[in-house]
Amino acid sequence: MPDIQLPDGSLRHFAEPVSGLALARAIGGGLAKAAVAMRVDGALKDLSTVLDQDAEVAIVTRDSVDGLEVIRHSTAHLMAQAVQSLYPEVQVTIGPVIENGFYYDFAFPRGFTPEDLEAIEGRMRALIKADLPVRRELLSREDAVALFEKKGETYKVEIIRAIPEGEPLSLYRQGDFVDLCRGPHVPSTGALGAFKLQRVAGAYWRGDSRNPMLQRIYGTAWAQQKDLDAYLQQLVEAERRDHRRIGTELELFSIQEDAGGGLVFWHPMGARVRRIIEDFWRSAHVEAGYDLLYTPHIAHEQLWYTSGHKDFYSESMFDPMQDEGQPYQLKPMNCPFHILIYKDKLRSYRELPIRWAELGTVYRHEMSGALHGLMRVRGFTQDDAHVFCRPDQIEAEIGAVLVLIRKILGTFGFSQYEINLSTRPEHSVGSDEIWDVAIQALRNALERADLDYQVDAGGGAFYGPKIDLKIQDAIGRRWQCSTVQLDFNLPERFAMEYVAEDGTRKVPIMVHRAIFGSMERFFGVLVEHYEGKFPVWLAPVQAVVLPISEHHAEYAESVRDTLAKSGIRAETDLRNEKIGYKIRAHTLRRVPYLLVVGEREREAGTVAVRDRDGQDLGTLTVGAVGVALQKMDQARYNTLEWQG
């Protein structure tokens, strides 16, 4: 006779055990219709689970975060069922939920074609219409192995044998399809519907290139059709903004395969923008009390053993190089280098906090299949900073970091964030006391900054809690950029100390902090956010002077020279082309302002101003244009009302 406590604190008493679906129906028909799973004392469960003792229960609806994950997981199973019903020779492997969707890896003698995806979608819709019940079963290890061996599912057998002894094995059946899975899943296939299969890619079994190549089908699934439609439209917009295409069109950067994948070559236009970003970053940090550092690109391999990277991060590091019998390693991170500078002398409590920042280039071994434009590369520049402080300084320093993050990101047009506070995981280093102090300091700093955040319980690193911040771009996508991590591990590993006020030696707190994450990735985000239409202060060329004919070329050059002396990044286009052609060419280059000069403008000492969106801004004096552009550049405005 269970008593069920609901999220609003109310109690429901039942005279006999009750399923989650029956509980939802008892609460209300609308809730039961929207329900896809439930949380029982915090654990996600199927609605078919029987509640036979007192518990705290929350019904999970299809439009919630948990509900969406259940829908996507169940849609992955639905896809696997459809694939095997169409192609019986296929073996299914794994099919997890990922951001915005799911995938499933299949062992198939040939590759899937676009026509195959259409057929699979059609079969999925037929299975949804059949509204097949989804049932969970528990099996012994031996019975599960026997079941999948009989079906010829060798990959599933391998997965089962890798599961630790004593862990329960659960299967899910829907119609004649059965799969190994922890669940939970929707009650029946009829609860699904808003989905789209997107593409096929190759993937090695267990991500190891020594294993067989599998066929991975990606898909997306949503609670409602309108949500799916909105997401698909977002994908169309994202394709239009793809930084790889725009980067090529605007000659910003390239990846030169002759040099190797994942290595970025910055072209003159892209390098101009990067320099502007870096100059702003440096000045903002100096104003915030940071000193700037420069450190080497390589270090003796032993340093990475001391830091622990060789033990925990070696798969992401390039192999060592030998010099005079000594092994040296390209750096994957900057942290140990800053620690060595700290340890160059004994520090006093009076020196703390110490704030050091560096635009440091690091190198990480990424699989070639994971490389993607500027978003995933092998060599990149981190906007890395470290704060060394006392425990009583943590809250103030984190607060100052948050102020700096908001200032810098806000300047680039990002003001909407998703923030997570990640707390102590099960396995960690450091005392209970320092973890409690650190987590509370992070929480206080976020609340003092009036920032909304979610707690990711147990999601912190083993060496300390952290704050992660995702920025939202112009089309609603979220990008992981800023992170603030407290570290209780590296100071201990490197025997860092400072002399406390009472004369004793104490270990400082280390704060890792990045705002952009990496210069390359942030630049890629900027390109897509602005669709290549950088605000005036960031634009590699702020204005281009276009003479109507060769007779006006000398005047056009003089206008350009006048603007350049005012610090404006201006060019002239002296090609023997019609003015309409030039206007179109530089509009496609996304130059903010086009300054047309002809006989009338030359005689009056003016220019005819157009913006890149085609708006005619009238005729202005060269001086007025220079002043307006200077104001936009200095104040970092994108547009400014022109006054002639």
Side-chain angles (χ1 to χ4, degrees):
M1 295 188 292
D3 286 332
I4 306 300
Q5 183 174 333
L6 302 177
D8 63 0
S10 63
L11 283 175
R12 292 286 177 127
H13 177 75
F14 293 89
E16 57 186 18
V18 61
S19 70
L21 186 56
L23 170 63
R25 286 172 178 156
I27 297 171
L31 179 64
K33 187 176 180 180
V36 293
M38 63 178 171
R39 281 199 176 274
V40 181
D41 293 329
L44 207 54
K45 301 285 186 180
D46 296 293
L47 286 173
S48 60
T49 302
V50 174
L51 305 167
D52 56 6
Q53 55 186 323
D54 296 351
E56 294 181 3
V57 178
I59 300 299
V60 173
T61 57
R62 60 189 306 108
D63 58 353
S64 66
V65 173
D66 283 339
L68 194 53
E69 181 158 338
V70 171
I71 286 171
R72 287 171 176 163
H73 195 180
S74 297
T75 307
H77 275 229
L78 182 75
M79 178 178 71
Q81 181 182 11
V83 168
Q84 280 202 321
S85 69
L86 289 168
Y87 314 102
E89 68 274 29
V90 165
Q91 289 191 59
V92 298
T93 63
I94 58 171
V97 173
I98 57 175
E99 185 177 11
N100 296 322
F102 58 90
Y103 69 77
Y104 219 114
D105 288 345
F106 300 96
F108 193 30
R110 65 172 177 83
F112 290 105
T113 66
E115 292 74 23
D116 290 330
L117 293 192
E118 289 182 16
I120 295 166
E121 282 192 349
R123 184 58 58 89
M124 290 170 70
R125 298 197 188 284
L127 293 169
I128 290 171
K129 188 175 181 180
D131 197 19
L132 302 173
V134 179
R135 296 190 175 93
R136 184 174 187 260
E137 300 177 7
L138 293 178
L139 264 69
S140 68
R141 178 184 300 271
E142 294 76 17
D143 289 345
V145 167
L147 171 67
F148 285 105
E149 281 184 338
K150 184 177 179 180
K151 291 170 63 66
E153 296 278 8
T154 57
Y155 292 93
K156 290 295 182 185
V157 171
E158 182 179 334
I159 293 171
I160 293 168
R161 286 179 170 152
I163 296 174
E165 292 281 354
E167 279 197 23
L169 293 176
S170 59
L171 307 178
Y172 280 82
R173 290 185 184 272
Q174 50 197 59
D176 58 359
F177 177 75
V178 60
D179 201 358
L180 177 74
C181 188
R182 289 195 183 99
H185 285 283
V186 295
S188 70
T189 58
L192 306 174
F195 73 89
K196 178 68 179 173
L197 302 188
Q198 297 171 285
R199 60 189 175 92
V200 180
Y204 292 110
W205 169 237
R206 296 193 181 280
D208 189 333
S209 60
R210 294 168 296 183
N211 289 336
M213 174 68 77
L214 305 175
Q215 298 296 311
R216 176 173 294 177
I217 299 180
Y218 286 93
T220 186
W222 296 82
Q224 307 290 340
Q225 185 64 39
K226 63 181 178 61
D227 300 328
L228 173 63
D229 293 341
Y231 175 68
L232 295 177
Q233 181 56 44
Q234 185 187 73
L235 292 182
V236 171
E237 184 64 24
E239 178 66 24
R240 198 166 65 85
R241 294 169 177 261
D242 191 319
H243 73 282
R244 295 168 298 178
R245 179 181 57 78
I246 294 175
T248 299
E249 291 175 355
L250 302 187
E251 300 183 60
L252 300 174
F253 68 90
S254 64
I255 308 293
Q256 299 289 337
E257 293 305 324
D258 288 345
L263 302 173
V264 181
F265 287 72
W266 294 82
H267 294 213
M269 292 296 106
R272 283 189 193 179
V273 181
R274 174 170 173 162
R275 178 180 57 79
I276 296 163
I277 295 171
E278 289 184 351
D279 288 348
F280 168 66
W281 183 91
R282 290 189 180 96
S283 64
H285 279 74
V286 170
E287 289 175 10
Y290 286 76
D291 285 310
L292 304 181
L293 304 180
Y294 296 90
T295 60
H297 289 238
I298 64 172
H300 196 284
E301 187 180 34
Q302 182 56 47
L303 180 68
W304 308 109
Y305 280 108
T306 302
S307 68
H309 286 93
K310 291 293 287 187
D311 296 322
F312 303 112
Y313 204 71
S314 60
E315 289 185 359
S316 296
M317 299 172 70
F318 285 98
D319 291 337
M321 63 187 81
Q322 296 292 324
D323 182 63
E324 297 182 346
Q326 296 294 312
Y328 287 82
Q329 193 108 36
L330 285 167
K331 66 176 177 180
M333 295 185 182
N334 299 300
C335 330
F337 291 69
H338 293 195
I339 291 173
L340 292 181
I341 296 175
Y342 178 98
K343 285 173 60 66
D344 202 48
K345 68 175 186 177
L346 181 62
R347 308 284 173 173
S348 165
Y349 73 96
R350 292 188 180 90
E351 295 178 70
L352 304 183
I354 291 173
R355 307 182 192 99
W356 288 337
E358 177 183 12
L359 291 169
T361 300
V362 299
Y363 304 89
R364 296 181 187 173
H365 178 258
E366 298 281 359
M367 297 292 288
S368 59
L371 301 174
H372 179 76
L374 297 179
M375 304 305 190
R376 195 77 177 262
V377 295
R378 287 173 171 155
F380 55 93
T381 300
Q382 286 185 315
D383 65 316
D384 220 349
H386 295 96
V387 178
F388 303 100
C389 65
R390 306 188 306 265
D392 62 291
Q393 296 172 322
I394 294 175
E395 183 176 332
E397 288 305 304
I398 298 301
V401 166
L402 293 175
V403 168
L404 185 59
I405 288 174
R406 296 175 78 178
K407 172 185 175 179
I408 290 179
L409 294 181
T411 301
F412 290 96
F414 300 109
S415 58
Q416 293 183 298
Y417 319 117
E418 176 187 302
I419 301 174
N420 287 295
L421 169 60
S422 300
T423 60
R424 189 175 192 173
E426 183 178 355
H427 301 291
S428 60
V429 298
S431 67
D432 292 343
E433 179 184 3
I434 192 61
W435 271 91
D436 291 343
V437 168
I439 291 171
Q440 191 58 49
L442 295 181
R443 191 185 301 273
N444 291 346
L446 286 167
E447 291 174 357
R448 287 180 185 276
D450 197 27
L451 290 170
D452 294 329
Y453 65 93
Q454 297 176 332
V455 175
D456 179 10
F462 76 93
Y463 51 77
K466 62 177 181 174
I467 295 171
D468 287 321
L469 187 148
K470 295 180 180 179
I471 57 176
Q472 182 170 308
D473 71 8
I475 60 174
R477 296 172 300 178
R478 290 187 173 91
W479 302 90
Q480 174 65 53
C481 282
S482 306
T483 187
V484 186
Q485 300 183 354
L486 270 63
D487 191 340
F488 314 134
N489 179 51
L490 283 181
E492 293 281 358
R493 293 184 73 101
F494 280 91
M496 297 176 69
E497 293 181 329
Y498 67 91
V499 179
E501 190 172 6
D502 61 4
T504 61
R505 303 287 180 91
K506 294 189 176 180
V507 179
I509 300 296
M510 183 176 185
V511 180
H512 303 263
R513 194 238 63 201
I515 296 177
F516 300 146
S518 83
M519 189 64 65
E520 286 73 10
R521 189 167 184 271
F522 187 73
F523 186 84
V525 172
L526 277 178
V527 170
E528 297 196 3
H529 177 64
Y530 287 114
E531 198 185 347
K533 296 179 180 179
F534 293 111
V536 170
W537 75 280
L538 276 178
V541 177
Q542 296 170 317
V544 60
V545 188
L546 308 176
I548 292 176
S549 75
E550 60 183 13
H551 303 297
H552 312 116
E554 184 177 347
Y555 177 62
E557 291 277 50
S558 72
V559 171
R560 192 276 315 272
D561 291 344
T562 299
L563 294 176
K565 288 176 183 176
S566 300
I568 305 303
R569 296 184 293 279
E571 293 181 352
T572 54
D573 185 344
L574 304 181
R575 291 177 296 173
N576 186 25
E577 300 285 356
K578 293 182 178 180
I579 192 64
Y581 176 89
K582 293 181 182 180
I583 289 173
R584 174 171 171 73
H586 293 287
T587 298
L588 291 174
R589 285 182 69 203
R590 297 162 171 84
V591 176
Y593 294 103
L594 314 181
L595 312 179
V596 179
V597 295
E599 189 62 30
R600 182 170 54 188
E601 287 78 20
R602 181 174 65 178
E603 291 179 356
T606 60
V607 294
V609 184
R610 295 171 57 94
D611 67 19
R612 59 188 162 199
D613 295 321
Q615 184 178 0
D616 184 348
L617 300 176
T619 300
L620 305 173
T621 65
V622 177
V625 170
V627 169
L629 288 172
Q630 278 185 315
K631 286 182 179 179
M632 282 186 278
D633 186 61
Q634 294 167 3
R636 301 189 177 91
Y637 295 148
N638 191 25
T639 58
L640 193 71
E641 185 174 336
W642 292 91
Q643 295 181 358

